[in-house]
Amino acid sequence: MLEETGLPYEPHLVSFETNDQMSPEFLSLNPNNKIPAIIDPDGPGGSPLALFESGAILIYLAEKSGKCMPDDPAARYETIQWLMFQMGGIGPMFGQLGFFHKFAGKEYEDKRPRDRYAAESRRLLGVLNQRLEGRQWVMGDDYTIADIAILPWVRNLLGFYGAGDLVGIQDFPNVTRAVDAFVARPAVARGLEIPRRNPQPA
């Protein structure tokens, strides 16, 4: 989103390997010790503003920059509605599926938890696929914070979590088309490289 808006920013890597998210400095931005978190030194009224939760950050940046959010009030609320769809459904369900499919959960003999999250993830993909029928993006021709919130989760579901076959992603062609268009955006390509990690010694 910061690359899309063109707003100046300074990225900071928060490493879970060294528990950076538990540092007093990070907790001063986000007492819930999760990423992302931002601080805008030039917030409303010229005062610094710290924000956490990706949905809140996206709305703030959209309003500050005047980008990725419709001007029409009804379309604005519809965009926020789809942002909440990610926050309340896509994110939690895909994240749980990732745990039970890729991480420690894969060792569980009982596959009911994994299958429950796979089924719900598949249902959510169906909702998204139907929404994208005949639309380039979630809100139509205009790229918005709804796309910025939703499509990285689908990308992670397929790539990082490797759960495409499990959810039958081939049944959701509108979703895969939108993800391909998303990763082709120059701002997304730049954002995926930030912050750059130092190369590991050979």
Side-chain angles (χ1 to χ4, degrees), residues 29 116 190:
L29 298 179
R116 180 258 190 269
R190 293 191 302 269

Side-chain angles (χ1 to χ4, degrees), residues 1-9 61 65 67-68 187 190:
M1 179 60 175
L2 285 162
E3 287 292 322
E4 290 284 356
T5 64
L7 292 169
Y9 71 98
L61 293 175
S65 66
K67 296 181 178 179
C68 300
R190 293 191 302 269

Side-chain angles (χ1 to χ4, degrees), residues 39-122:
I39 183 166
D40 183 357
D42 184 27
S47 299
L49 176 68
L51 284 175
F52 64 93
E53 287 296 334
S54 57
I57 293 169
L58 285 171
I59 293 171
Y60 176 73
L61 293 175
E63 293 183 344
K64 182 179 179 75
S65 66
K67 296 181 178 179
C68 300
M69 179 79 88
D71 292 329
D72 175 73
R76 179 179 182 275
Y77 281 111
E78 192 175 358
T79 302
I80 293 172
Q81 165 188 267
W82 285 100
L83 172 65
M84 299 301 169
F85 170 76
Q86 179 272 310
M87 295 172 62
I90 292 279
M93 293 301 107
F94 287 14
Q96 293 291 347
L97 178 57
F99 171 80
F100 283 103
H101 181 63
K102 179 173 180 173
F103 296 111
K106 68 182 178 181
E107 300 170 0
Y108 295 1
E109 291 184 13
D110 186 350
K111 297 304 179 189
R112 286 176 295 179
R114 185 205 66 179
D115 292 347
R116 180 258 190 269
Y117 290 117
E120 179 62 6
S121 295
R122 182 175 169 81

Side-chain angles (χ1 to χ4, degrees), residues 20 50 52 56 64 78 97 110 130 141 153 157 159 167 170 176:
D20 292 353
F52 64 93
K64 182 179 179 75
E78 192 175 358
L97 178 57
D110 186 350
Q130 183 177 22
D141 292 336
W153 274 103
L157 180 73
V167 298
Q170 70 279 357
T176 55

